[in-house]
Amino acid sequence: METTIFYYTGTGNSLWTARMLAARLGSSVPVSITGFRGTLDAGGERALGLVFPVYIWGVPAPVIRFVDSHRMPRDAYVFAGAVNAGQVSNTLVQLERILKHQGVRLAAGFGIKMPSNYIPWGGPGPEETRRRLFKQAEEKIAGIASAISRRQPLPVEKGPLWQRILFTAMYRMSFNKVPEMDKGFWVDDKCDRCGICAQICPAENITLKGDGPLWNHRCHQCFACLQWCPKEAVQYGRKTPAYERYHHPDIRLKDMLNDPAR
Ligand SMILES: Cc1cc2nc3c(=O)[nH]c(=O)nc-3n(C[C@H](O)[C@H](O)[C@H](O)COP(=O)(O)O)c2cc1C
């Protein structure tokens, strides 16, 4: 009973979640959405998972593209984990609809709360809170893994109605603007042109010029370029020089660069 867990990640929370699930499930492999070039086929016993961060209260564009461009197996047990900083909102309902359009049922949809990587609104929070979130996530993942191994259907998690109405409107308003939101990135004089920002970008959106990185308006807003810069030289807007950087403590740069798209 093999399980493939497709993940998308900017700062490793979703990769860590996919790994934890895979470890609990056994005979299961996490595969990067952005690096995947194959086709999906599934025997009736198989399970297929999607694990990704919540972006602007919805499903990130690369995850939608992945689902749209691969025929999802109708006979598989399909589950999804929306990794978030406290507001899963309508994300899993949105994914459920996208899959339904393909004739695929989302058998289980769960939220996993982790530290925030949305640095324009501040850092990831106190270390103690982060540790608590990891522990709670680990416990939740254990329960979910046990449901997945029994192929048990689980109701799709969602936020309160007011949140889903308001934030879905905001998601829709901003969705097409995301690729150009990279206009806020800049580098300070700590940049030594090492090129890690360009390598780690899953959108292949960054080119290195003589005077540093250039963002080419195909951004996913994952913030990997900023969060993984070893010199903390990549900035966004005016406030980020003062904010702490974040990536999941168990995920290393080499884990991220292992993705064929990076
Ligand atoms: C552009 C962007 C938008 C985000 N929007 C939300 C959101 O609507 N709700 C939420 O709970 N977290 C939001 N977050 C936080 C991330 O979902 C969260 O930190 C997640 O764990 C990051 O996963 P990753 O490390 O796999 O990239 C957002 C993060 C980014 C970068």
Side-chain angles (χ1 to χ4, degrees), residues 49-128:
L50 295 162
V51 177
F52 58 87
V54 174
Y55 281 180
I56 323 181
W57 304 288
V59 183
V63 178
I64 298 179
R65 278 198 290 275
F66 175 79
V67 173
D68 282 347
S69 59
H70 293 88
R71 189 180 289 276
M72 305 298 280
R74 290 179 189 192
D75 55 353
Y77 172 96
V78 177
F79 62 92
V83 182
N84 63 85
Q87 290 183 332
V88 72
S89 191
N90 211 45
T91 308
L92 290 161
V93 178
Q94 182 196 357
L95 181 69
E96 188 176 36
R97 287 202 192 114
I98 295 169
L99 288 168
K100 197 172 173 190
H101 199 68
Q102 289 198 10
V104 175
R105 193 170 80 92
L106 182 61
F110 52 89
I112 298 288
K113 188 173 169 188
M114 298 281 257
S116 173
N117 68 349
Y118 191 66
I119 196 163
W121 286 1
E127 195 148 345
E128 206 186 312

